[in-house]
Each structure stands twice: as structure tokens, then as C-alpha cells.
Amino acid sequence: MEITLVDKMGTDLSVVNAARVSYSKTKDVFDQKDEKLIKYLAEHEHWSPFAHASMQFRIKAPIFVARQLVKHQVGL
């Protein structure tokens, strides 16, 4: 298993990058489109990207371990 700390106490940019993770896209500068994305996420109750603003890890683990990590998420 491999664990890497990506970010801690992130910013709005951390939230939009977390929202775009399934598209394998990240940004370095926060712009108007990102502001609209945050509003969309909040209005449609997509709360998981907001959790990335506290601590964000990249974890490479066997599938049975990964499922347990998702099952036992804390903080939302």
C-alpha cells in the first residue's frame, strides 16, 4: 500500500480539482469557471469535493482496502 499527502487545509482550487479528478484534470489558477463550478456543487448538494479542503491523500491499495476506506470516511 502506498499513501501520499497531496494537500492540507486547501483552498477553493483544491475543491474544484477534487471535483475534476475523474477527468484527470487539474488547474493551477482559480478563475470564473471555477467559481461557477463551486456554486453548482453546493446548489446540487455534491459535498464530497468540499471534504478535500481539509486533507487530501493519494492512496494506492488493494481493492478490498480501498472499499473499506470509502466505507469509513469521517467528517461528512
Side-chain angles (χ1 to χ4, degrees):
M1 188 158 59
E2 186 178 318
I3 302 172
T4 307
L5 177 65
V6 176
D7 192 12
K8 60 183 178 355
M9 298 310 291
T11 63
D12 290 342
L13 191 58
S14 303
V15 174
V16 295
N17 282 335
R20 292 185 174 116
V21 72
S22 61
Y23 295 107
S24 294
K25 300 201 182 231
T26 58
K27 294 178 80 176
D28 296 325
V29 179
F30 190 81
D31 62 16
Q32 186 74 22
K33 289 176 72 175
D34 298 327
E35 187 174 337
K36 288 181 181 179
L37 177 58
I38 287 180
K39 286 180 183 178
Y40 176 87
L41 293 170
E43 289 172 359
H44 292 89
E45 299 183 4
H46 295 286
W47 300 114
S48 60
F50 293 102
H52 289 259
S54 59
M55 286 191 173
Q56 187 176 11
F57 296 95
R58 181 166 288 120
I59 301 173
K60 186 175 183 178
I63 191 71
F64 70 93
V65 175
R67 287 184 177 164
Q68 289 298 313
L69 288 170
V70 171
K71 184 178 178 182
H72 298 288
Q73 281 181 345
V74 177
L76 283 179

